[in-house]
Amino acid sequence: MIAEQPLEDLLRTLFSLPDLELGPETGFAEIPGWDSLSHVNVIFEVERRFGVRFSDQELDRLQELATIGELQSFIDEKPHPAGS
Amino acid sequence: MVVTGTGLEADLEAALDAERPDARLCLRIAEEYHRRGDRQQAFRWLARVVDASDQFVEWSGAASMLARLAAEERPLARRQARIALTGSYTLKPFGALLRLAALREGIDVVLHESGYDQYRQELLDGASPLYRFEPSHIVIAPHAGELRFSDPGEEPSLRLSREVERWSALWGAARLHSNATVVQHLFVLRPEESLGHLSARLQGSRYSLTRELNRALAQDAPEGVLVVDLERIAADFGKRQWFDDRYWHMTKQAVALDALPLIARHTAAVLAASLGLSRKCLVLDLDGTLWGGVVGDDGLPGIRLGTGADGEAFVAFQEYVLELKSRGIVLAVVSKNDDAVARLPFERHPDMRIKLDDIAVFRANWDDKATNLTAIAQSLGIGLDALTFVDDNVLERQLVRRMLPEVDVVDLPEDPSAYVRRMADYLRFETVSLTDEDLNRTEQYRARNAVEALRQSTVSLDEFLASLKMAAYVAPFDELHLPRIAQLMGKTNQFNLTGLRCSEDELRRLMGDPDAVHLYLRLKDRFTDHGLVAVLIGRREGSLMLIESWLMSCRVIGRAVEEWMLEELCLRATAIGCARLRGSYIPSGRNELVRDLYPRLGFVQAGEGAWELDLQDRTPAARSHIGTWDGK
């Protein structure tokens, strides 16, 4: 189980919006400056930050996610490598 | 101002105490300045993220704040550049990071990005949005997947030359349709090779062809085309991390995100060099930097140099420093020592590689280093922003950072075996070409330093100038001197009336213009041949001669060269029928030195920032201190 904060922290840093209000219901499209490219960037940064690697098929599904909550559950359900 | 303990001031204190402040701390400080409406301070802290981090996520955060703030107010920077970025993969993330890296080098960038894979159309069509943008630089960023090397049945050399020609033609189009400097990214060789080691031997393998293409492009690049050798950077970064094909499949991004800051950093270094922003002088500490131990305490036999692991590492570092010197970086020494003690290793230690002759200015005393650095800049006649300071002592580095923010400080790592690496990662000595002046520079600066000493010992200015036994040679521009003229125009900041910068091509056009007057001046004295040190460009408009550019190397300021050159211009202007000279002063923030040049030379004010000199009523001034030289 990963705490909620790291994902929000990542998004705030990536877009440099420290005061951005984020909740599970927040849609990515609501974030100022968001586009399809940043969606992919977030996915790869999540990999690095959370020490996971998504399979090619998971990557396709990740691109369909629309809210922070959906991305968070996806990460939480992903089995983590031992020790991370 | 009311502040809380967790506010800006606390953050600032933490950041200033750290040698490389945490990137997130820099971002927080930038955000806080932005909130307070001080965008210029916000820009400064955004730029520091470049030093603080190599991570995409932090650079990206800084880059997006930069984009937002720059839309409200331009950053104050030493240079502006209009960069058109074009290539074969998704360039948006790279473009944003390039702006950030360039800001760190003192360049405010306005960016134009071509659409995905539009580089051929954009470069070949003279009416394309890229050219309408009127770029000062065109960055071409293709990836190796873009190379076709068609017809495997053909001669390898033919397949190669076809690809070389394709890229040369794009450069040709860029040069035809714009005055921009082209910055070409070279190609990164893919490690996956179905031919295995045979690929290195077969001329027709994709691997061999790409390698040859890089070599051909770098060597054939004409003037005005610069290359960024990505193959070298990628090998260093590690190609397993450099390539992540999932990025390509999902977003047509040819390079892993974490490699982008490095590419941006190197591209910005080449841009900075093309804009004359490179550092000129490396100022070295001695104890702990050039040798281990303290010569004053340990004595000559006690210092570690030449033997043992760290003794050898110091020798390797000295050899690297000498390589920098041999390509035109001036060396100086600043050390807290008695002068005679500090010189001892140079004179007597058998393993010392750097000799006293290699050092243009040697300052060993007990003054603080900031004072000594200021004196070094002064005696070399260069700005503090041309100095790079290396010291193993963190306190000295912090002192210099706080007292002289213009001086660049290299934080040497703990172990001397890592010194060379740290200097090699330092990109502000990047240069776009080497001229004879570069290779001869230390000698010229040593001579300048000798002149400074003479200046202090002679009584009057006249006497001093006469004692130099100067001689000057003035001539119209010629092909042989164009590279040096363009270089001098690019990097002269202090004695520069208008800030006009021209490429060699533009200068060449000028040479064919019958109304243009163009002069360069070479100067020598009893100490040295200074080479080409001054440039003047004028334009005849009826009976008026407009001085469009006038600049002089800071090496020869204060020697009445400007008076001499003006007389030369008056003669030539009169000879082609001009009755008046008109000059203007355009402030750049760095040319305060020449604000009053025209009134000082007898010109009369003729409007805001403009002065005129009547040639008909004028008695030529005596040109007593500088003799005429035939240039040979």
Side-chain angles (χ1 to χ4, degrees), chain B residues 586-605:
Chain B
I586 303 173
S588 67
R590 307 188 66 214
N591 61 352
E592 184 67 13
L593 178 73
V594 289
R595 190 161 58 106
D596 296 321
L597 178 76
Y598 286 122
R600 180 161 72 76
L601 294 174
F603 284 60
V604 177
Q605 181 120 32

Side-chain angles (χ1 to χ4, degrees), chain B residues 399-413:
Chain B
L399 173 100
V400 170
R401 277 201 191 93
R402 287 210 181 196
M403 292 186 64
L404 305 174
E406 306 93 328
V407 173
D408 218 15
V409 179
V410 178
D411 46 343
L412 286 180

Side-chain angles (χ1 to χ4, degrees), chain B residues 173 185 259 419 515:
Chain B
H185 281 180
Y419 284 6
D515 285 322

Side-chain angles (χ1 to χ4, degrees), chain B residues 264-305:
Chain B
R265 204 192 284 276
H266 280 266
T267 307
V270 171
L271 288 171
S274 79
L275 291 166
L277 291 171
S278 300
R279 302 268 158 169
K280 294 174 183 152
C281 173
L282 178 63
V283 186
L284 299 151
D285 166 59
L286 296 181
D287 293 324
T289 299
L290 290 192
W291 55 74
V294 178
V295 65
D297 297 340
D298 307 334
L300 188 64
I303 63 172
R304 297 193 303 284
L305 181 64

Side-chain angles (χ1 to χ4, degrees), chain A residues 39-77:
Chain A
H39 198 126
V40 176
N41 294 351
V42 167
I43 293 170
F44 284 113
E45 279 305 322
V46 164
E47 277 196 340
R48 261 169 39 103
R49 196 61 64 89
F50 295 85
V52 295
R53 187 175 169 96
F54 299 117
S55 70
D56 292 356
Q57 283 184 7
E58 284 171 328
L59 288 176
D60 281 343
R61 277 163 52 213
L62 277 160
Q63 282 185 282
E64 308 300 319
L65 304 182
T67 68
I68 290 182
E70 287 172 27
L71 176 57
Q72 190 66 59
S73 336
F74 197 98
I75 299 169
D76 291 347
E77 285 159 24

Side-chain angles (χ1 to χ4, degrees), chain B residues 89-298:
Chain B
Y89 60 93
T90 303
L91 291 167
K92 195 174 165 222
F94 171 62
L97 302 195
L98 179 60
R99 275 186 79 175
L100 181 71
L103 182 65
R104 176 64 186 85
E105 300 308 315
I107 310 166
D108 171 26
V109 168
V110 180
L111 193 67
H112 165 86
E113 275 163 38
S114 299
Y116 166 70
D117 202 21
Q118 291 294 304
Y119 71 99
R120 274 155 301 201
Q121 297 90 318
E122 288 260 278
L123 288 170
L124 293 173
D125 173 10
S128 69
L130 183 148
Y131 294 122
R132 285 205 303 277
F133 171 73
E134 297 189 347
S136 65
H137 294 78
I138 299 174
V139 176
I140 307 177
H143 69 298
E146 185 62 16
L147 298 174
R148 293 286 166 262
F149 296 123
S150 53
D151 277 330
E154 268 183 345
E155 262 292 285
S157 60
L158 205 62
R159 296 170 66 199
L160 175 64
S161 63
R162 199 168 283 146
E163 193 67 27
V164 173
E165 276 159 27
R166 182 163 83 89
W167 294 97
S168 312
L170 293 174
W171 297 343
R175 309 286 289 151
L176 177 68
H177 299 307
S178 76
N179 289 322
T181 299
V182 174
V183 178
Q184 171 78 46
H185 281 180
L186 296 182
F187 297 92
V188 181
L189 278 66
R190 298 282 316 208
E192 304 89 352
E193 254 305 335
S194 55
L195 280 165
H197 291 279
L198 200 54
S199 65
R201 293 186 58 189
L202 293 179
Q203 282 187 328
S205 74
R206 190 176 178 78
Y207 188 83
S208 294
L209 286 170
T210 309
R211 195 177 52 195
E212 290 305 311
L213 177 67
N214 274 343
R215 177 155 46 194
L217 291 181
Q219 286 176 359
D220 296 353
E223 189 257 321
V225 177
L226 310 174
V227 298
V228 180
D229 184 5
L230 288 193
E231 169 61 19
R232 183 169 63 88
I233 305 171
D236 182 24
F237 184 83
K239 289 190 184 177
R240 276 174 200 260
Q241 276 74 47
W242 182 277
F243 293 113
D244 186 336
D245 288 337
R246 297 180 305 157
Y247 293 94
W248 178 253
H249 300 317
M250 287 173 78
T251 66
K252 296 291 173 267
Q253 165 68 52
V255 183
L257 296 179
D258 270 337
L260 290 178
L262 192 66
I263 306 178
R265 204 192 284 276
H266 280 266
T267 307
V270 171
L271 288 171
S274 79
L275 291 166
L277 291 171
S278 300
R279 302 268 158 169
K280 294 174 183 152
C281 173
L282 178 63
V283 186
L284 299 151
D285 166 59
L286 296 181
D287 293 324
T289 299
L290 290 192
W291 55 74
V294 178
V295 65
D297 297 340
D298 307 334

